[in-house]
Amino acid sequence: MNIAVVGGGIRCKRLIQVIQRHEFQEIDPKVVAVADLNDDAPGYVKAKNNGLFVTHDYNDFFKRDDIDLIIELTGNMDIYNDILSKKRKTVRAIANRTAQLFWEISRVSILQKKTDQELKETRARYKMIINELIQEDVLVIAYDYKIMDINDSLLNRLGLQRKDVIGRYCYEITHHQDLPCSGEHHPCPLIETMKTEKPSQTTHIHLNRDKKKIYYSISTYPLLENGDAIGAIEISRDITKDINVQKTMMQQEKLASVGRLSAGVAHEINNPLTTILTTAMLIQEELDPQDPNYQELETITKETLRCRKIVSSLLDFARQSTPARKPCDINDIVNESVVLTNKQAAFKDLTLSFEPGTGIPHVLLDKGQIQQSVINLIINAVEATEAGGTISISTAYKPELETIEIAVSDTGEGISENDLVRIFDPFYTTKDTGNGLGLAITHGIIEQHNGTIGVESKLGQGTIFTIKLPVTPGVIHAAS
Ligand SMILES: Nc1ncnc2c1ncn2[C@@H]1O[C@H](COP(=O)(O)OP(=O)(O)O)[C@@H](O)[C@H]1O
Ligand SMILES: [Mg+2]
């Protein structure tokens, strides 16, 4: 049976190889002609190298009388219909889909041709690979994106059963899409591996149920059969934690270097500021309050004091001293912070509520520093929330994580995704009168306590900051 193939891609090449390698007793198929517009298409090239008839126009097939079967591999139904309308009655034609079936069956027959012993060894080796990588998600994908195998780890994560997955398209199962992955954020590593027959790596960003970014590192390795890639083993790993750790480390490094710089600058600025301030005050004392210069000097004094305040915040931020820790009741600290900020909230007609957690053990903390942190968060919340809004503060003990948590949430303007990554940067502010140090200082303090501070926010939907502090083992005092 002489076959002509329309579409000289990788599958055409595979088809030629499979047919060459195996005896199909009854039909004895032979590829005799290949059509493709592209001179570099792998199947086209192979056909040409094998001395077969190649052409850019499949209409040439109809001029030959030695063709029994035309296989359409481009997947274009218009071409298939065109072939059906033009071919001679005695010539058969099969479309892309059917061709795939044909190919799959022949692939199974390859496996069957192996001796039992060979088959056993192959399977054992293959099982070992899949099981060893059990921690990672493993997919075995055929060249046509169909899933040939999947490991339990991935099945569990997807909440599916093996039978629901085998034979389905990978993008259908892992991405719920109708088409293969593509584009800058979603490149398809399979295509790359099939093209180069070499391992390939990429990162996909997905959103989880809570719309949080999950980063997957995806590596594909060619699945070779007699030196040809017939598909790929795809191994994916959730690297979100690694990426977040990396981000935190970068943030810490940035804060530390800015801290050192600020400390130096702040000291340098403090002295001249004091000189300016005292000089202005001295001159002012000599003047009559009615003197026009008196008000000007008043402005100088006020602005210099403002500078001093910024400098003192800078020094706070830069302070590398370890916190002076004493056993503290976190509810007391938060309560005092709430009392201290109540006025600001009431002034803006905001509801400020505190829900203290129960059974929280006493923890070694620098009370002043933690209070400053909580106040910073509350003041920010007040500043971000319109009249009538709510600011809720709560504390909790998480025995399983050995942490205590303080959460400050507001119903305010929220923070855009772009800004979220910058809010802990020193001097980052969106306010006319802000200095951008509050969160940087808070971050520093919490870090000195070996804790973490996280934020969740969406523009227009409020913000929640969560401080997590470790309960140091051995020094826990039961809450009274
Ligand atoms: N609760 C919040 N809601 C909205 N934006 C916030 C909130 N807290 C902080 N921000 C953003 O983070 C920025 C930095 O905060 P911060 O370091 O305290 O400096 P500042 O308050 O001086 O601007 C703020 O300017 C604001 O844009
Ligand atoms: Mg602030």
Side-chain angles (χ1 to χ4, degrees), residues 376-385 408-410 412-415 419 422-431 433-442 455 457 462-465:
N376 278 343
L377 297 185
I378 299 177
I379 296 293
N380 277 346
V382 167
E383 287 171 342
T385 311
V408 178
S409 72
D410 64 61
E413 63 194 21
I415 306 165
D419 292 342
R422 301 169 61 192
I423 56 169
F424 292 105
D425 288 355
F427 309 113
Y428 174 77
T429 180
T430 53
K431 301 165 194 168
T433 54
N435 61 23
L437 285 172
L439 287 180
I441 291 172
T442 304
V455 55
S457 185
T463 304
I464 174 162
F465 280 90

Side-chain angles (χ1 to χ4, degrees), residues 240-250:
T240 316
K241 265 201 199 129
D242 305 358
I243 287 202
N244 287 345
V245 166
Q246 221 172 11
K247 276 191 187 157
T248 316
M249 273 165 60
M250 269 164 61

